[in-house]
């Protein structure tokens, strides 16, 4: 009811998390190398590359697989060391990357220090995301924030399409916690919405943690206060409507009950009240309050 800032993780929360390969820039075997490099990862981006490759992976060709959280992968394929990951990870290895013009998440591929090219994958915005963001602002959310590990161009493009107010991009999992801490320290009530195992610390730190239940990890669901079982971001505004209406009814019942009891106390002090008035002030007021509370079950569309 009092939340004024809602922070979203992007992938799987505002977007479907089902990436598709939209562009391949490099050698003819780049898709094959990307598929072999990502074959042992369970990240949605890795699954999209494997789906595009569409062939069986010979695990005997792969060894020394190492995943660097939020950055990329180091793996040996046919005895050669390959690095696959985002721009900051590859540039951190001292290698210059080529940025494609297509907007999307870019997986850069390097073989033993030599840049081979990149694969661009894109995520699809959920059908109800734009409507959900509009409703949140209607119900008093002053600032919608998106946190993502994607490069800034991709993050800004998606934020513009769905109406997000503030974007923080190219973040590692620990950076998300720091960013949420900064927003909380500003004094506003904050809710965080996420679905991944990396979101669990942020979900537990927020005033209200909301997890996507269908595709979300067990860790995220356990850490959250609210779980959306159909992964629909528009349901967040529904939860706010329920909270606002429930609190309004609670206040109505408190004021009504205290007012009636005060009147009965005055009548009793004046010698006017009888037993039936006393019963009404106790049981009658309780029954009326319960009946009034059932209004919370009905919400106008």
């Amino acid at each position: 009811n009092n939340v004024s800032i809602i922070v979203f993780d992007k992938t799987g929360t505002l977007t479907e998390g089902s990436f598709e390969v939209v562009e391949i820039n490099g050698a003819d075997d780049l898709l094959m190398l990307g598929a072999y490099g990502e074959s042992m990862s369970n990240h949605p981006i890795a699954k999209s590359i494997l789906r595009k490759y569409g062939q069986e992976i010979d695990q005997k060709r792969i060894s020394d697989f190492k995943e660097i959280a939020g950055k990329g992968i180091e793996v040996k394929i046919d005895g050669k060391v390959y690095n696959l990951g985002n721009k900051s990870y590859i540039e951190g290895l001292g290698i210059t990357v080529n940025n494609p013009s297509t907007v999307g998440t870019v997986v850069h591929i390097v073989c033993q220090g030599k840049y081979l090219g990149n694969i661009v994958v894109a995520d699809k915005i959920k059908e109800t995301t734009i409507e959900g963001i509009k409703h949140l602002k209607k119900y008093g959310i002053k600032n919608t924030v998106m946190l993502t590990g994607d490069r800034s161009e991709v993050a800004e493009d998606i934020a513009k399409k769905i109406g997000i107010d503030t974007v923080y991009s190219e973040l590692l999992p620990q950076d998300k916690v720091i960013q949420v801490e900064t927003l909380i320290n500003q004094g506003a009530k904050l809710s965080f919405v996420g679905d991944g195992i990396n979101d669990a610390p942020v979900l537990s730190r927020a005033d209200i943690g909301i997890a996507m239940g269908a595709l979300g990890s067990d860790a995220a669901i356990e850490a959250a206060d609210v779980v959306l079982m159909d992964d629909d971001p528009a349901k967040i505004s529904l939860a706010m409507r329920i909270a606002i209406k429930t609190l309004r009814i609670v206040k109505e019942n408190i004021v009504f009950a205290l007012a009636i009891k005060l009147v009965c106390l005055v009548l009793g002090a004046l010698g006017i009240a009888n037993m039936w008035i006393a019963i009404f002030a106790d049981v009658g007021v309780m029954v009326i309050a319960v009946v009034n509370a059932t209004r919370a079950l009905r919400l106008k569309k």
Side-chain angles (χ1 to χ4, degrees):
N1 181 74
N2 294 323
V3 166
S4 59
I5 299 176
I6 292 191
V7 182
F8 296 91
D9 178 56
K10 181 183 77 68
T11 305
T13 303
L14 297 172
T15 62
E16 292 183 354
S18 56
F19 291 86
E20 292 183 357
V21 175
V22 295
E23 188 173 294
I24 301 171
N25 302 301
D28 294 337
D29 62 347
L30 196 68
L31 180 60
M32 181 271 290
L33 293 172
Y36 270 78
E38 300 277 7
S39 62
M40 298 179 74
S41 172
N42 61 0
H43 194 280
I45 291 176
K47 291 179 181 179
S48 71
I49 294 174
L50 285 164
R51 190 165 53 247
K52 179 70 173 179
Y53 181 57
Q55 299 181 37
E56 189 175 346
I57 300 296
D58 183 3
Q59 296 294 338
K60 294 178 181 179
R61 297 176 60 186
I62 304 169
S63 62
D64 297 341
F65 178 89
K66 185 169 107 178
E67 191 162 6
I68 298 93
K71 291 187 176 183
I73 289 167
E74 181 178 296
V75 62
K76 278 188 179 179
I77 304 173
D78 297 331
K80 295 181 179 179
V81 178
Y82 287 82
N83 299 93
L84 300 85
N86 58 28
K87 180 181 177 182
S88 63
Y89 170 55
I90 300 302
E91 288 185 338
L93 300 174
I95 299 166
T96 303
V97 304
N98 296 328
N99 289 317
S101 57
T102 304
V103 175
T105 300
V106 184
V107 178
H108 300 278
I109 301 177
V110 172
C111 176
Q112 300 195 161
K114 181 182 178 182
Y115 186 77
L116 300 181
N118 56 67
I119 298 173
V120 185
V121 297
D123 199 358
K124 184 180 178 183
I125 297 170
K126 289 182 179 178
E127 292 182 0
T128 57
T129 294
I130 297 174
E131 179 186 1
I133 297 296
K134 287 180 180 178
H135 286 169
L136 288 174
K137 293 180 179 180
K138 178 181 176 182
Y139 290 110
I141 296 299
K142 297 177 181 178
N143 187 17
T144 53
V145 182
M146 185 176 78
L147 306 182
T148 177
D150 284 346
R151 60 194 178 102
S152 57
E153 295 90 342
V154 178
E156 293 289 347
D157 180 67
I158 290 177
K160 185 177 179 180
K161 289 177 180 176
I162 64 179
I164 289 287
D165 299 314
T166 310
V167 182
Y168 299 99
S169 56
E170 300 181 22
L171 300 177
L172 297 175
Q174 60 268 28
D175 296 332
K176 293 180 182 180
V177 180
I178 295 171
Q179 197 59 60
V180 167
E181 289 278 2
T182 302
L183 292 169
I184 290 174
N185 291 337
Q186 294 175 4
K189 292 291 183 181
L190 179 145
S191 177
F192 179 83
V193 190
D195 72 317
I197 190 168
N198 292 330
D199 297 328
V202 198
L203 285 165
S204 60
R205 182 63 189 91
D207 295 303
I208 299 291
I210 303 175
M212 297 295 173
L215 296 177
S217 69
D218 291 340
I221 292 170
E222 287 291 333
D225 302 293
V226 179
V227 180
L228 304 180
M229 297 311 298
D230 57 1
D231 288 1
D232 183 357
K235 292 292 176 66
I236 301 170
S237 60
L238 174 61
M240 288 195 68
R241 288 173 61 197
I242 293 171
I244 291 168
K245 184 169 184 177
T246 300
L247 192 61
R248 185 170 63 244
I249 290 172
V250 168
K251 290 177 179 178
E252 288 173 0
N253 282 345
I254 290 172
V255 171
F256 170 73
L258 291 178
I260 294 296
K261 289 180 184 293
L262 182 61
V263 169
C264 290
L265 283 171
V266 172
L267 293 176
L270 296 175
I272 300 174
N274 57 27
M275 182 60 69
W276 290 111
I277 291 177
I279 291 172
F280 172 75
D282 184 21
V283 180
V285 167
M286 181 197 72
V287 171
I288 293 171
V290 169
V291 172
N292 186 45
T294 60
R295 291 170 47 227
L297 298 173
R298 295 182 291 109
L299 286 176
K300 293 181 179 179
K301 293 183 180 180

